[in-house]
Amino acid sequence: MIIQIMGREYQVSVKAEEVETLQQAVAMVGEKLQQLSGKVTSGNESLAVMAALYIAHDAIVAQHQNHLDLPACKRRIGAVNDRLEQVLGQQEKLF
């Protein structure tokens, strides 16, 4: 699925049953980024956008399930952080 946030397109994989919540996450992240534009600068904007998108998506899914598993959220955030560090390390090697 191709999504668009702040004028940039991103290709993401999503299960059919998660398309609606992903679209809600895209709207949530896009709105927040618009609010923050000009206030925050980042050299890794696309990585930040994708991390925020997936975290927002997980939060929306949890809301729909009417419960919030805090330990699971912390593990997910940790996993996303680990993946971002890995990707950033690989990107640095390219430049």
Side-chain angles (χ1 to χ4, degrees):
M1 174 178 180
I2 296 175
I3 61 167
Q4 190 173 45
I5 298 175
M6 294 195 62
R8 293 186 66 183
E9 290 187 347
Y10 302 89
Q11 178 73 37
V12 296
S13 60
V14 61
K15 297 175 186 172
E17 63 270 15
E18 295 180 342
V19 168
E20 184 178 338
T21 56
L22 182 63
Q23 289 171 334
Q24 291 172 345
V26 168
M28 182 185 296
V29 169
E31 183 178 316
K32 181 56 80 178
L33 287 172
Q34 285 290 2
Q35 291 172 355
L36 296 174
S37 67
K39 297 178 184 177
V40 177
T41 58
S42 173
N44 296 308
E45 178 185 275
S46 62
L47 292 175
V49 167
M50 293 308 292
L53 173 63
Y54 284 109
I55 291 168
H57 177 258
D58 288 349
I60 291 168
V61 169
Q63 286 175 344
H64 284 235
Q65 294 173 346
N66 291 325
H67 75 280
L68 181 61
D69 183 355
L70 190 56
C73 288
K74 287 181 179 180
R75 285 191 302 274
R76 177 69 176 144
I77 290 169
V80 169
N81 188 45
D82 291 345
R83 180 67 179 135
L84 286 172
E85 287 178 8
Q86 181 184 23
V87 169
L88 284 172
Q90 291 171 354
Q91 268 193 328
E92 288 175 5
K93 292 177 186 175
L94 296 175
F95 297 103

